[in-house]
Amino acid sequence: MSIEVGSKVEGKVTGITNFGAFVELPGGSTGLVHISEVADNYVKDINEHLKVGDVVEVKVMNVEADGKIGLSIRKAKPQAERPERPERPQRPRNNNRPNDRDRPSKENFEQKMARFLKDSEDRLSTLKRATESKRGGRGAKRG
């Protein structure tokens, strides 16, 4: 039987490591289920989910030229069985830049350039101060 990417097959767990489980597929070939592909939630210890000898349904994710086969247990489950991940709430960004609404709405090019140069000089002076203190102060410059 030829192993094709995307196909779902049943296999037997033949070995467990700290990074995943080896599964023997029909036809005698062996593939690896990476620990991240065992369950939908975080897996700290793979032994809590699988044991040697378990029969599992896996989905073939990739077949490399050197014969390595990548498998997934969690993607082999039907969509209805897989719990939907809750969407993360968006955190507000906290930049040290002034907000657009704090600036005048109409600035000409010279005003924008002057503001940019001032901000740039402020940042450079802060950076220079921090760098000089790490080098030992204002001694003679190396050249």
Side-chain angles (χ1 to χ4, degrees):
M1 174 182 182
S2 169
I3 304 295
E4 297 177 14
V5 175
S7 62
K8 292 181 183 179
V9 293
E10 279 200 356
K12 185 177 182 180
V13 178
T14 58
I16 294 180
T17 65
N18 58 351
F19 56 84
F22 289 97
V23 177
E24 185 177 345
L25 302 173
S29 57
T30 301
L32 174 70
V33 178
H34 189 266
I35 193 167
S36 64
E37 294 294 331
V38 171
D40 283 324
N41 53 352
Y42 177 74
V43 177
K44 185 173 185 176
D45 183 14
I46 195 167
N47 294 304
E48 294 174 0
H49 296 269
L50 296 172
K51 294 176 190 59
V52 174
D54 285 356
V55 176
V56 293
E57 184 178 19
V58 294
K59 182 175 182 179
V60 179
M61 301 307 296
N62 59 10
V63 179
E64 295 183 14
D66 58 357
K68 293 180 181 176
I69 302 171
L71 306 171
S72 174
I73 293 174
R74 69 184 183 103
K75 291 183 180 167
K77 295 178 186 173
Q79 198 69 18
E81 273 187 47
R82 292 171 56 188
E84 202 170 303
R85 290 185 177 173
E87 204 171 304
R88 289 184 181 175
Q90 291 289 338
R91 290 186 289 161
R93 290 187 173 184
N94 187 7
N95 294 338
N96 291 333
R97 299 182 200 152
N99 294 335
D100 287 335
R101 61 179 170 253
D102 294 342
R103 295 185 187 144
S105 60
K106 299 243 179 182
E107 283 183 312
N108 63 20
F109 177 75
E110 286 80 18
Q111 291 170 328
K112 288 181 183 180
M113 185 59 96
R115 184 174 36 81
F116 170 77
L117 288 173
K118 181 183 176 298
D119 290 347
S120 179
E121 285 295 322
D122 291 345
R123 289 182 185 152
L124 277 174
S125 65
T126 304
L127 180 63
K128 202 179 265 188
R129 229 179 291 127
T131 307
E132 285 176 359
S133 67
K134 290 180 183 172
R135 283 197 222 148
R138 297 191 176 265
K141 290 188 177 182
R142 298 177 193 175

